[in-house]
Amino acid sequence: DSWAAEGWNHADDPANLRKAFAGFGGRAAALINAVEACTLWGLHLHPVAQTWHQGGVALLGDAAHPTLPFLAQGANMALEDAWVLADSVLNHPAEQALARYQSLRQPRVTRVVKAAAGNAARYHLRPGPLRSAAHLGLKLGSTLAPWAMVGAFNWLYHHDVTAPK
């Protein structure tokens, strides 16, 4: 809870790794116990950038809209960005292309970043009544209306950036 350093290559003590996975057994435990050096990084929520282009240069993917991994959409958002950016540059006047790219993508990626952050909170509920109620709700929902949870993400999974705009 107290660690907040940003970066991808912070050295850590392998004892912390072993402590975190102390309940593992068998081959996994042997592999974890064999670790001699490890690194760690935190997951940090950042806002979607307000400006994605300047001087003929455009940002895409995490450079423009870093997202937490709780929808597994980071790479997909970068690929969608690349498609829309390429389409904008190839099919629109140069002075409008980059602004068009950002205006088409910003609402969607903002929604994805927000949804992933919401999942982060739901996936990391602390043990207690709220977590128990949430798990019961998920179990009941998946049993009684399994289509409902999947359907809630139709906006995400049925989106087609290749469709004409």
Side-chain angles (χ1 to χ4, degrees):
D1 287 341
S2 64
W3 177 63
E6 293 211 32
W8 291 92
N9 198 20
H10 300 292
D12 194 30
D13 184 341
N16 292 329
L17 177 71
R18 288 188 264 287
K19 181 180 175 187
F21 294 95
F24 281 54
R27 181 88 174 121
L31 290 170
I32 292 166
N33 287 330
V35 171
E36 295 177 4
C38 62
T39 58
L40 67 141
W41 61 90
L43 299 177
H44 299 274
L45 181 60
H46 292 280
V48 173
Q50 292 299 309
T51 303
W52 297 12
H53 60 90
Q54 184 175 346
V57 175
L59 302 175
L60 58 80
D62 282 350
H65 46 79
T67 185
L68 295 173
F70 301 107
L71 272 178
Q73 291 298 301
N76 187 61
M77 291 299 105
L79 290 170
E80 288 183 9
D81 285 355
W83 181 277
V84 174
L85 178 59
D87 178 70
S88 294
V89 169
L90 292 172
N91 297 307
H92 298 277
E95 62 277 1
Q96 298 168 5
L98 299 184
R100 178 184 185 275
Y101 151 68
Q102 180 175 338
S103 70
L104 288 174
R105 294 295 298 151
Q106 197 163 23
R108 175 164 169 79
V109 300
T110 298
R111 188 173 182 191
V112 170
V113 169
K114 183 178 178 181
N119 276 353
R122 285 186 286 279
Y123 294 170
H124 292 96
L125 293 173
R126 299 201 186 279
L130 179 59
R131 181 176 173 175
S132 297
H135 286 187
L136 177 61
L138 286 171
K139 184 176 181 180
L140 288 173
S142 65
T143 301
L144 300 175
W147 64 90
M149 285 178 56
V150 174
F153 286 102
N154 281 347
W155 65 270
L156 179 65
Y157 299 117
H158 291 193
H159 185 76
D160 182 1
V161 296
T162 67
K165 312 251 178 324

